[in-house]
Amino acid sequence: MIFESWLQQLSHFNLVTLFVFFLAENAILLFLSIMLGKIIEYENTKLNKTDRKWIFSTLMCNTFITLLGYELYLFEILKIDFTPSLLSVLADMLLLIFIMDFFMFCFHYLVHYLKWFYPIHQLHHTHVETSVYSLFVLHPIETFGFGIIWLFSITIFHLNFISIIIYLILNLLYGIFGHLKTDIFPGFWSKNPFTKWISTTKFHADHHKNEAHNFGFYFTIWDKIFKTIF
């Protein structure tokens, strides 16, 4: 497989070179995220000077997480399936989305209700009116927390590389859409029996305005189960 061969080729480089490579990769994703935000709502995509250091620290933290994930792969702690079937791609993708959403809901709930953790998370909530930049305004401890959840999830399950890539794309898009001011989801979304379980831009925007509710990321189901939905 081309992707497997490419990962093996990277093993010939030292840690510094790998870090620079992964830094460039994450920087490109950051740039594309901001560009998408500008396309959707240009006037709302304005960078606050005080947020620059936090966006940069999130970029660095995400790079460390990527490098750690690659090292786990090299040491065969993190195992990836490079010969998936169509069924396994679909099954792994749904499993990953479901598991990650539950773990992140739990983590998000805890950062709000643990007295020692909330001051850390409060940095993110300095953005009451959100934009694409809000996605990257996180304390390093929180960024690493989400990173550990991600690495733990893909390590305990033997997932295929296509599902992992699709999930990463969807996760980034949902992070962007969840922090926009413009709700890109149609009005019927929260009322339709098939789509009301999937969160919207408004769902997360309401969390930034009322922090005691709406802790979920992709689905509303956990908030409905634990009665934290707004």
Side-chain angles (χ1 to χ4, degrees), residues 30 34 46-60 123 127 133 136-138:
L30 172 61
I34 296 169
K46 296 179 180 178
L47 178 60
N48 189 325
K49 289 182 179 180
T50 59
D51 290 333
R52 289 177 181 175
K53 63 179 180 181
W54 299 115
I55 294 171
F56 178 74
S57 78
T58 297
L59 172 62
M60 298 300 288
L123 169 66
H127 284 221
Y133 290 115
F136 303 99
V137 178
L138 293 169

Side-chain angles (χ1 to χ4, degrees), residues 44 46-52 54-55 121-138 178-179 204-211:
N44 189 46
K46 296 179 180 178
L47 178 60
N48 189 325
K49 289 182 179 180
T50 59
D51 290 333
R52 289 177 181 175
W54 299 115
I55 294 171
H121 181 61
Q122 201 169 20
L123 169 66
H124 183 63
H125 279 280
T126 57
H127 284 221
V128 178
E129 295 293 334
T130 54
S131 72
V132 66
Y133 290 115
S134 307
L135 174 61
F136 303 99
V137 178
L138 293 169
H179 289 90
H204 192 70
D206 286 341
H207 170 71
H208 275 261
K209 294 178 175 63
N210 189 332
E211 297 181 31

Side-chain angles (χ1 to χ4, degrees), residues 26 39 62 66 87 112-113 151 162 168 201 210 218 230:
N26 280 278
I39 291 171
N62 284 338
T66 307
L87 182 61
H112 274 273
Y113 285 96
L151 293 179
I162 296 177
L168 287 172
T201 304
N210 189 332
Y218 315 132
F230 180 67

Side-chain angles (χ1 to χ4, degrees), residues 11 16 28 30 34 66 72 74 92 101 120-121 126 141 153 161 167 170 198 218 227:
S11 66
V16 174
I28 291 171
L30 172 61
I34 296 169
T66 307
L72 290 173
L74 288 183
D92 284 1
D101 192 51
I120 292 171
H121 181 61
T126 57
I141 293 177
S153 298
F161 77 103
Y167 170 81
L170 291 176
I198 305 173
Y218 315 132
K227 302 185 186 307

Side-chain angles (χ1 to χ4, degrees), residues 4 27 47 70 77 95 102-103 108 135 143 147 169 171 189 208 221-222 224 226:
E4 183 179 13
L47 178 60
Y70 182 68
I77 298 172
L95 174 65
F102 176 70
F103 284 158
H108 193 191
L135 174 61
T143 305
I169 295 172
N171 177 64
W189 194 271
H208 275 261
I221 183 172
W222 308 117
K224 290 178 180 178
F226 294 101

